[in-house]
Amino acid sequence: MNKHIFKILPIIGTAPIFLFFGCQPKMESQTTSLTENAQQLSGTINIDGSSTVAPVSSAVAEEFANIAPNVKVVVKTSGTGGGFKKFVVGEIDISDASRPIEPEEIEKAKQNGIEFIEIPIGYDGLSVVVNPKNTFVDYLTVEELKRIWEPGSKVKKWSDVRPTFPNKEIKLYGPGRDSGTFDYFCEAILKTKKESRQDYQASEDDNFLVTGVSGDPNALGYFGYAYYEQNKDKLRVVPIDNGKGPVAPSPETVQSGEYQPLSRPLFIYVSKKAAERPEVKAFVEFYLSEEGRELIRAEGYMPLPDEVYAAVLERFRAGMTGSVFEGIPHVGADLRKLYAQGG
């Protein structure tokens, strides 16, 4: 797993700013063809949003600094919803997102004259985890997950989930309401719009959730696959049964579509105005390059099919704005149909 060097600058009244600097050997790559004048590029690229996508954007920023050392990439994390709040009023150039942009966010962007380009960058398998000392949960069904997390849930103890489970209180950890992971889980499992039970430890910081579950034998939580992968020595992932038998998240089950309904695409949203700046254009093209895909894989997520990347890059270069998800469900969506076939 790549370890990224960053400097944290405390800013009064806002989240810490992470400035990434190139510090690893330059990758032998195709980047010269992508950014022939990269050494001459300069400027600042401001990114905010999803804590799930942030590690990828940070890794890309670090490697991009090797070919464009005069470009500063600032990556902040305030959750998908928090990032979109800034993006739709023009405060940032790129919004990291673990769900598609929503109709009300699109409308707010229109009101503020913000056009955007939607770019899927990889797949994630949203992971349900327990403490390794929990040896009784062999799998959970989608219906059991729903009963645990639904609004007004009566589930307080593990025995309320399944009679064979111990009569011990469940300690729940999950994303906060500004998280795209929270939004996706609500839609995929609870069939609600941004609504779940409220009596749990909530945070947009996935590392807080990891610490909580790893420190409590009776805990249950959920977050992006990369955070499980990075901490699997102190977590145990729970296979999920959607009616076709229990399936655990993995690169293979996520890419094949077998791990449903908790497989999802991840995105960056780029301001069209920002994309006209040469440093932003070069950064996004590097993000979608073979090197960028390797960084996505290194951070624990799954790259998209080659034909989807090709189609998305073409859309970006053409300046095609808007979301392909307007008016259609995004849970279980086929990106090949939506992007590679010009949906």
Side-chain angles (χ1 to χ4, degrees):
M1 190 66 59
N2 283 354
K3 302 297 181 184
H4 304 295
I5 306 298
F6 54 83
K7 182 177 180 181
I8 303 179
L9 302 180
I11 304 295
I12 296 174
T14 187
I17 293 179
F18 298 81
L19 303 184
F20 290 83
F21 301 91
C23 56
Q24 294 185 358
K26 182 176 179 180
M27 300 176 75
E28 294 300 321
S29 68
Q30 60 185 353
T31 54
T32 300
S33 62
L34 286 172
T35 56
E36 292 181 358
N37 299 312
Q39 295 289 324
Q40 283 70 51
L41 294 174
S42 63
T44 299
I45 302 172
N46 290 297
I47 304 175
D48 201 342
S50 167
S51 63
T52 301
V53 181
V56 181
S57 289
S58 300
V60 173
E62 181 180 326
E63 293 296 344
F64 184 69
N66 290 327
I67 62 170
N70 296 317
V71 178
K72 181 170 64 176
V73 182
V74 182
V75 180
K76 299 166 79 173
T77 304
S78 59
T80 296
F84 276 136
K85 287 176 185 176
K86 298 176 182 180
F87 183 73
V88 300
V89 296
E91 291 183 11
I92 57 176
D93 303 309
I94 296 174
S95 190
D96 288 339
S98 58
R99 59 159 172 79
I101 191 169
E102 296 183 338
E104 54 268 32
E105 293 162 338
I106 294 174
E107 182 58 33
K108 179 70 73 172
K110 289 179 180 178
Q111 292 173 3
N112 290 292
I114 305 297
E115 294 184 282
F116 62 84
I117 303 171
E118 179 179 73
I119 299 177
I121 55 102
Y123 288 123
D124 177 30
L126 200 158
S127 302
V128 178
V129 297
V130 294
N131 188 284
K133 292 182 180 178
N134 181 328
T135 59
F136 56 86
V137 176
D138 47 355
Y139 69 93
L140 289 170
T141 67
V142 168
E143 179 56 34
E144 287 171 335
L145 270 183
K146 182 177 184 296
R147 287 197 290 108
I148 293 169
W149 285 97
E150 66 188 350
S153 173
K154 304 300 183 186
V155 173
K156 303 294 183 182
K157 299 179 180 180
W158 279 106
S159 55
D160 295 331
V161 179
R162 205 180 294 175
T164 56
F165 288 169
N167 187 31
K168 295 182 178 180
E169 183 181 359
I170 297 180
K171 301 293 181 64
L172 296 174
Y173 292 83
R177 296 183 65 85
D178 270 341
S179 167
T181 299
F182 171 83
D183 296 341
Y184 192 89
F185 188 86
C186 288
E187 291 194 37
I189 300 296
L190 309 182
K191 309 302 181 186
T192 65
K193 189 75 170 176
K194 296 178 180 292
E195 188 177 5
S196 79
R197 69 187 298 168
Q198 299 180 18
D199 55 338
Y200 70 97
Q201 290 291 315
S203 177
E204 273 75 29
D205 182 352
D206 292 309
N207 290 306
F208 172 86
L209 306 179
V210 168
T211 300
V213 176
S214 65
D216 190 333
N218 292 309
L220 174 78
Y222 68 92
F223 38 73
Y225 180 79
Y227 285 89
Y228 160 69
E229 182 68 19
Q230 294 169 12
N231 297 280
K232 59 184 178 182
D233 58 327
K234 49 190 175 184
L235 298 169
R236 186 166 68 83
V237 73
V238 178
I240 303 301
D241 186 352
N242 68 357
K244 300 179 181 179
V247 177
S250 70
E252 294 75 24
T253 60
V254 170
Q255 287 183 312
S256 70
E258 186 181 2
Y259 184 65
Q260 288 291 349
L262 292 178
S263 293
R264 58 176 179 169
L266 304 174
F267 303 86
I268 59 173
Y269 284 79
V270 185
S271 160
K272 184 179 181 183
K273 182 178 179 180
E276 294 171 357
R277 291 164 23 208
E279 73 275 16
V280 175
K281 180 176 184 294
F283 177 76
V284 173
E285 292 195 355
F286 181 73
Y287 214 127
L288 297 174
S289 70
E290 292 182 9
E291 287 80 359
R293 300 175 210 180
E294 285 304 312
L295 293 169
I296 292 167
R297 184 178 289 108
E299 290 302 323
Y301 299 116
M302 286 58 79
L304 305 173
D306 288 346
E307 62 267 31
V308 176
Y309 282 117
V312 169
L313 180 58
E314 183 178 349
R315 290 169 64 92
F316 174 70
R317 288 173 172 167
M320 294 181 63
T321 59
S323 173
V324 301
F325 290 91
E326 285 194 73
I328 67 169
H330 63 269
V331 175
D334 186 337
L335 296 189
R336 287 184 177 89
K337 291 182 180 179
L338 291 175
Y339 293 99
Q341 296 180 16

